[in-house]
Amino acid sequence: MKPEILMLRGLLPRQTAQLDEQYVCHRLDLADDREAMLRDVAADVTAVITSGEIICGAALMDRLPRLGMVACFGVGVDGIDLPYCQARGIAVSNTPDVLTEDVADIAIGLTISTLRGITAGDRYVRRGDWQHGPLPLSTRIGGKTMGILGLGRIGKAIATRAEAHGMTVVWHGRHDQPDVQWQRFPDLAAMAAAIDILMIACPGGPATRGLVSREVIDALGPSSYLVNISRGSVVDETALVGALVGGRLAGAGLDVFADEPNVPAPLLDLENVVLTPHIGSASRETRDAMAQLVVDNLDAFYAGRPLLTPWPFS
Ligand code: NAP
């Protein structure tokens, strides 16, 4: 009997074929009638495939009495009720490391595009505005100070790239990291007041909800920029939009939003804002590696081996 897996999202074709060979996969995300599917399969499901932004909470997991593992396609596990999993002894895996470099590339790409006006310039050319004169001057990235909120795997990869571009790096996190050479600000608002670019690279979830508050955004001020490749939930989006519309922030590069795929309408009209549709890890190579890690973790779980990348419940 093949083990039965409930899929809250699909993987790539290569890994879908691997899954189909070994498991019975129920695509809840594609079901016309999700309730009917859950009624039919819930009793036999032993693993769930999800991703960071999808809600995998107690309401669903309560209906899966034999659930032993949640495999997350992504490093962020903010959609998963982790305390619930821990209490029930449900293993959780995610996909760290394999996406780090790609997300850092997008973070730096957003920074350059926002400060130097690459996407604004592209629109300028396409609209025919170049016929009437040059694009207004932008600002250089070299010499700027980038403050990184969340100096983890991705934060560090961003930091080395930022330094290579001539920026000074400082950071804010909950714990000191003695091996790190960059200055740490124990207070986020104090860091915001001292930097040109706030780079948000911490996890989402309840612990960081609204961490980049109105106070932090105000501390950044009208000549500073905000770049977010973490989660929309980390930022007070209403305050961010207000600051951008009101000219109290110089610009923003945003890969993530509070209510994806919905983007606050006022941002769509702002030339100093670069918007990308949550593409931090979205290269073919990285998505393939992430999907493979999901399958490899599931294989390990069903073989009774240690997971390759277990979520480290504390
Ligand atoms: P990681 O290695 O766990 O790093 C997260 C860092 O954030 C840690 O250094 C952690 O340090 C810090 N942190 C946690 N809570 C914090 C808080 N309240 N205040 C300040 N710092 C805090 O994770 P990662 O692999 O770098 O990934 C980071 C996040 O990037 C993911 O969780 C995900 O949300 C996001 N992400 C986005 C994309 C995208 O497509 N845009 C793709 C992948 C990942 P302490 O625990 O010491 O505080």
Side-chain angles (χ1 to χ4, degrees), residues 75 103 150-154 174-175 201 203 208 229 231 255 278 280:
V75 66
V103 182
L151 194 72
R153 288 169 290 239
I154 295 171
R174 294 175 299 180
H175 310 109
T208 57
I229 54 81
R231 287 285 188 265
D255 187 46
H278 202 146

Side-chain angles (χ1 to χ4, degrees), residues 233-256:
S233 62
V234 179
V235 180
D236 179 338
E237 201 169 70
T238 306
L240 174 64
V241 171
L244 287 164
V245 169
R248 288 178 282 109
L249 196 62
L254 305 171
D255 187 46
V256 288

Side-chain angles (χ1 to χ4, degrees), residues 53 74-78 94-97 99-100 103 106 148-156 171-177 188 200-204 207-208 211 228-231 234 255-256 278-282 287 290 311:
E53 314 85 67
V75 66
V77 290
D78 38 307
N94 64 345
T95 64
D97 296 316
L99 44 64
T100 296
V103 182
I106 288 292
I148 300 179
L149 165 55
L151 194 72
R153 288 169 290 239
I154 295 171
K156 290 189 179 87
W171 65 283
H172 167 76
R174 294 175 299 180
H175 310 109
D176 198 9
Q177 302 189 42
L188 178 57
I200 305 171
C202 64
T208 57
L211 191 59
N228 190 5
I229 54 81
S230 142
R231 287 285 188 265
V234 179
D255 187 46
V256 288
H278 202 146
I279 55 168
S281 67
R287 287 288 168 87
M290 291 165 64
W311 176 256

Side-chain angles (χ1 to χ4, degrees), residues 127 183 309:
R127 279 197 306 262
Q183 182 194 348
T309 50

